[in-house]
Amino acid sequence: MELALSLGETNPTPFSFLHKATQKITNNNNNNQSELGFCMALGNSAFSSRSSSSSDQDQDKKNIHDPSKPVSSSSDLQLPLQLDLLPSAPVPRSQSTSSQLRFPWLNDNLISEPVGSKGFDVNRLPGVGSTQPEETEDGVTISSPNSTLSSFHMDFCVRSSSSGGGLIRTNSNNKREYHSNNNNIIECETERASSRASDDEENGSTRKKLRLSKEQSAFLEESFKEHSTLNPKQKVALAKQLNLRPRQVEVWFQNRRARTKLKQTEVDCEYLKRCCETLTDENRRLQKELQELRALKTSQPFYMQLPATTLTMCPSCERVATSGAVTVAGTAANSGKPTQHRFPHGQVGKAAPGNLQ
DNA sequence: GTACGTTAACCTCTTACTTCA
DNA sequence: TCTGAAGTAAGAGGTTAACGT
């Protein structure tokens, strides 16, 4: 993390990640026919442009120009990584967990569906015969919210976290829950499921709340590290992989970006607070120095007859060489030669002409 | 080349719901 | 058991860029 603070200055910054931001602000100021007054930027030093593949050009363009985007992955510094979310070879049904487990409400038609492509998940109703839910282009399942499926009671617990499209989770009470496609949760060994289902049936208008499984979240998180935005292909692939609707993946990424931004804003805020405090202290110190110098000016007018050319600033610590240096410089100024001040950092500063006011 | 409408992607704000202390 | 805070999925509305006419 680097912080760059530029006051009334448009010089190139050593902070590479600031270049774009500074440029942007400068451009804005140019439009206003005024110079940049204050520029402060905070960010990850890893910000850098990256080449983009043709397929991801649009997304990458956005990624590059948005400094708010987190750059946590190595892919931001390397060649673009093609995110292939589809398994290289489809897992045969016989190897999948769901093939070994049959939910009581699943008929053979559904069982014969490939796991990854179709079937039963938190968003899709397991269709029964011709009553299969319609799926829109977006993958949105149009189905009755008042499915009776959720009223089934799980008489067994499944080891798999995701099986047959439905989601098996372990809740805080160490009870397994089955998240059916209309978001009702069926618990193992509890009566809660049926009561909840009946609640849902009572007010079918209430919005169902899906809770992504840890595995789904982790997978999405990994994908987010690679790309904070998704192109349509990636979105669909990811949705397929996780048995979610593309819309859900889209929303997750939106919320994830918002969360990242919020956190970054908090960090920025904290940092700016500290910077503000530092600058306030510095300002106080400089005011004090100025007062001292003014006092010196009034008490020792002899020196002030000399050109007030001796106030220098250490380029390293940016501290003004104080009264001692002034005295030396002033004396040297008698000889008309520029004064050399040895700063504690080993640099040698040259006294620049200027007025002490 | 410019203006205008459409569309898709994204952002921000908000709501509804879950979880946890 | 109740309650409030925090976290989060999802909806709504606005903005912006790309594209076609």
Side-chain angles (χ1 to χ4, degrees), chain A residues 31-45:
Chain A
N31 291 340
N32 297 336
Q33 302 293 320
S34 61
E35 285 297 311
L36 178 65
F38 179 77
C39 166
M40 194 164 193
L42 179 74
N44 194 317
S45 60

Side-chain angles (χ1 to χ4, degrees), chain A residues 74-111:
Chain A
S74 58
S75 66
D76 286 288
L77 303 172
Q78 297 166 358
L79 289 173
L81 179 66
Q82 178 63 39
L83 179 60
D84 187 5
L85 298 164
L86 288 169
S88 53
V91 180
R93 263 199 65 78
S94 59
Q95 292 176 18
S96 68
T97 318
S98 58
S99 66
Q100 298 154 9
L101 300 165
R102 293 187 60 167
F103 296 105
W105 54 84
L106 294 178
N107 62 16
D108 287 346
N109 288 341
L110 273 169
I111 293 295

Side-chain angles (χ1 to χ4, degrees), chain A residues 6 27-28 32 35 74 77 85 107 110 123 134 145 194 202 206 240 252 266 304 307 313 331 344:
Chain A
S6 169
N27 287 341
N28 289 342
N32 297 336
E35 285 297 311
S74 58
L77 303 172
L85 298 164
N107 62 16
L110 273 169
N123 311 293
E134 277 182 33
S194 56
E202 277 176 14
T206 56
K240 252 187 180 178
W252 188 92
E266 286 172 5
M304 292 305 123
M313 180 180 278
T331 312

Side-chain angles (χ1 to χ4, degrees), chain A residues 35-286:
Chain A
E35 285 297 311
L36 178 65
F38 179 77
C39 166
M40 194 164 193
L42 179 74
N44 194 317
S45 60
F47 281 125
S48 66
S49 64
R50 51 188 255 244
S51 58
S52 58
S53 64
S54 57
S55 61
D56 293 338
Q57 214 169 12
D58 214 63
Q59 296 299 328
D60 286 346
K61 192 169 60 184
K62 287 170 185 170
N63 287 345
I64 288 169
H65 293 298
D66 189 353
S68 67
K69 299 269 166 69
V71 184
S72 55
S73 72
S74 58
S75 66
D76 286 288
L77 303 172
Q78 297 166 358
L79 289 173
L81 179 66
Q82 178 63 39
L83 179 60
D84 187 5
L85 298 164
L86 288 169
S88 53
V91 180
R93 263 199 65 78
S94 59
Q95 292 176 18
S96 68
T97 318
S98 58
S99 66
Q100 298 154 9
L101 300 165
R102 293 187 60 167
F103 296 105
W105 54 84
L106 294 178
N107 62 16
D108 287 346
N109 288 341
L110 273 169
I111 293 295
S112 63
E113 288 278 343
V115 174
S117 61
K118 197 85 175 179
F120 184 42
D121 66 3
V122 290
N123 311 293
R124 293 193 181 101
L125 264 177
V128 178
S130 61
T131 60
Q132 280 221 357
E134 277 182 33
E135 193 167 314
T136 66
E137 198 175 304
D138 193 41
V140 176
T141 305
I142 303 169
S143 62
S144 164
N146 296 326
S147 167
T148 56
L149 291 172
S150 60
S151 63
F152 278 96
H153 204 84
M154 288 279 281
D155 291 323
F156 56 91
C157 289
V158 188
R159 295 249 175 252
S160 167
S161 62
S162 173
S163 180
L167 296 174
I168 309 295
R169 308 183 52 211
T170 305
N171 68 14
S172 60
N173 299 325
N174 231 9
K175 289 172 183 166
R176 294 279 176 173
E177 294 174 339
Y178 183 81
H179 292 242
S180 74
N181 62 332
N182 65 346
N183 300 335
N184 293 333
I185 297 172
I186 303 167
E187 289 184 2
C188 292
E189 300 162 2
T190 67
E191 293 295 322
R192 191 174 152 197
S194 56
S195 63
R196 263 192 62 133
S198 60
D199 284 351
D200 287 339
E201 282 181 0
E202 277 176 14
N203 41 10
S205 60
T206 56
R207 184 163 50 172
K208 301 298 190 308
K209 175 83 170 185
L210 159 74
R211 202 74 184 179
L212 297 179
S213 70
K214 281 180 183 174
E215 289 78 12
Q216 284 173 316
S217 295
F219 202 97
L220 288 165
E221 199 67 47
E222 283 304 307
S223 304
F224 186 81
K225 282 180 186 172
E226 298 294 334
H227 296 272
S228 61
T229 55
L230 292 174
N231 63 31
K233 270 186 183 178
Q234 290 170 333
K235 183 165 64 179
V236 170
L238 197 49
K240 252 187 180 178
Q241 183 99 345
L242 296 173
N243 274 330
L244 295 171
R245 280 173 286 146
R247 170 67 183 157
Q248 287 179 292
V249 174
E250 184 183 314
V251 166
W252 188 92
F253 269 76
Q254 274 178 19
N255 288 324
R256 186 65 182 78
R257 283 191 293 270
R259 250 177 284 152
T260 302
K261 193 176 179 182
L262 188 66
K263 275 181 185 171
Q264 186 59 45
T265 303
E266 286 172 5
V267 170
D268 289 356
C269 192
E270 270 307 304
Y271 210 107
L272 288 172
K273 261 187 196 172
R274 271 181 285 162
C275 282
C276 185
E277 286 168 10
T278 306
L279 287 171
T280 304
D281 290 346
E282 183 73 1
N283 187 40
R284 204 173 294 131
R285 192 183 62 76
L286 289 172

